[in-house]
Amino acid sequence: MTIKDTSEEWEIRATETPFVGNKTSVRTDDVVMPDGHVARRDYQVHPGSVAVLALDDEGRVLVIRQYRHPVRHKLWEIPAGLLDVPGENPLHAAQRELYEEAHVKAEDWRVLTDVYTTPGGCDEAVRIFLARDLSEAEGDRFEVEHEEADMELERVPVEELVRGVLAGELHNNCLVVGVLSLIAAQQRDGLDALRPAEAPWPARPFES
């Protein structure tokens, strides 16, 4: 038996958008259930995101610490950002985020994993990249503002991040999924066996 997620769409009898924000919106759909009943489902419509697990030659991961107002926490995270432009190539977006948040570039890029963050209430899809062969980016640093102005940057050994995840001390979903996927990939076929950086992403189709 092959365990694999499959695309499917149930009939929608009616839909409305009661809220439209700067980057996301809220949609309400009346969905026909398998028993014929119609159920109302509210969810956030999201453009999608990319995240970067940047691994240096010493086995350390580049992490940032940033205030997240909805959960009232400063969280340790990996660099990440929205896919602001429809159809944007996710690799290009990931490279931009690594430069803007850490002023770092990478020569080796691969897809680490693809996830839906909260599929019961949001259609956000995230592609998490593995970036290696790191070096300082050229040119001026990106001008930060708002929460990013208070951001901290560190390089932390993978083992310490795994410990923090399993101890319940680290909570950012991209960091948790990325770090544990990294360990799984290393123990399975190795990092060079990961999908190429331009691998298809059906959840968010993109231009080459």
Side-chain angles (χ1 to χ4, degrees), residues 120-136:
C122 180
D123 72 350
E124 181 184 13
V126 180
R127 169 155 281 189
I128 304 176
F129 289 91
L130 172 67
R132 294 182 293 174
D133 193 5
L134 310 180
S135 62
E136 189 80 4

Side-chain angles (χ1 to χ4, degrees), residues 31-176:
V31 186
V32 180
M33 298 289 114
D35 61 3
H37 286 84
V38 177
R40 176 155 289 195
R41 294 290 178 260
D42 303 316
Y43 59 100
Q44 182 184 17
V45 179
H46 195 284
S49 306
V50 292
V52 184
L53 193 145
L55 183 68
D56 70 15
D57 293 339
E58 298 179 35
R60 301 174 301 173
V61 174
L62 194 156
V63 292
I64 58 178
R65 188 170 183 242
Q66 187 171 351
Y67 176 66
R68 294 301 187 183
H69 184 71
V71 295
R72 309 304 199 269
H73 269 72
K74 273 193 170 182
L75 299 179
W76 286 103
E77 308 177 351
I78 57 177
L82 298 176
L83 289 169
D84 295 314
V85 181
E88 182 179 16
N89 187 306
L91 173 60
H92 299 165
Q95 291 170 333
R96 181 186 67 238
E97 292 300 330
L98 185 61
Y99 164 74
E100 290 182 356
E101 296 192 352
H103 202 66
V104 166
K105 63 180 181 179
E107 297 302 322
D108 188 284
W109 290 83
R110 297 172 192 272
V111 175
L112 188 53
T113 190
D114 299 323
V115 295
Y116 289 115
T117 55
T118 49
C122 180
D123 72 350
E124 181 184 13
V126 180
R127 169 155 281 189
I128 304 176
F129 289 91
L130 172 67
R132 294 182 293 174
D133 193 5
L134 310 180
S135 62
E136 189 80 4
E138 301 169 357
D140 296 331
R141 286 188 172 272
F142 182 75
E143 192 75 26
V144 297
E145 60 181 0
H146 304 309
E147 290 93 343
E148 293 181 349
D150 188 49
M151 215 161 47
E152 302 171 47
L153 179 66
E154 295 287 347
R155 295 192 182 202
V156 180
V158 174
E159 296 78 9
E160 175 60 18
L161 295 176
V162 172
R163 185 208 62 76
V165 168
L166 298 180
E169 298 171 357
L170 299 172
H171 306 89
N172 175 263
N173 58 353
C174 290
L175 184 148
V176 171

Side-chain angles (χ1 to χ4, degrees), residues 15-29 41-46 121-123:
T15 186
E16 60 185 63
T17 306
F19 170 79
V20 177
N22 185 33
K23 299 293 185 182
T24 67
S25 60
V26 173
R27 182 176 297 165
T28 298
D29 291 340
R41 294 290 178 260
D42 303 316
Y43 59 100
Q44 182 184 17
V45 179
H46 195 284
C122 180
D123 72 350

